[in-house]
Structure formats: structure tokens, C-alpha cells
Amino acid sequence: GGYLPVRTNTAPPLVIPRKGHGAGAGPARAFALPDVSSTMIREHLAAGQPAKELEGLLPAGLIAYLETRKLY
């Protein structure tokens, strides 16, 4: 057992807040996460709305997976 040595030459963490949870600091201010949640995606698909409408929020491969397997 024992502890591993701490690396001191790593980049500092970049914390990007979600909408409604404060503003980012430093370089994080340049990023914006999409206003999306897994609940919203499930509700969208459960309502029978096309997965194609989620383009830009989900990777194309995931949209194809959801469509071919008729999930939700």
C-alpha cells in the first residue's frame, strides 16, 4: 500500500458551471454548456417527438442509437 506521489506539473482544473449555478471564473467564462438534462431528453422522446430535434444537444451517433432501438 501507500500513497502515490502528487504530480505538480498538471494543468489547473477548469470548472464550467451549469446555467443558473453561478458564473465561471477565468478561462471558464468563455464556455457555455447547453441547457439540457437527461430528464428533458427522456421526456422529449417519451412524448413521441423525433430524436432528430435533439441535434446539437446530443452526438449524432447517440441520436442514431436512440432512433434505431426505439428507446423511450
Side-chain angles (χ1 to χ4, degrees):
Y3 295 99
L4 296 174
V6 175
R7 292 183 65 177
T8 58
N9 60 347
T10 59
L14 178 62
V15 179
I16 303 172
R18 290 182 6 190
K19 184 176 180 181
H21 293 278
R29 288 187 181 159
F31 294 94
L33 295 177
D35 189 19
V36 64
S37 70
S38 56
T39 300
M40 184 219 60
I41 292 167
R42 284 191 299 271
E43 288 173 350
H44 177 91
L45 297 171
Q49 298 178 24
K52 285 277 188 200
E53 292 179 1
L54 299 172
E55 287 180 1
L57 298 176
L58 298 176
L62 179 55
I63 290 173
Y65 181 87
L66 294 170
E67 287 178 327
T68 58
R69 286 165 181 76
K70 307 272 190 254
L71 297 177
Y72 300 100

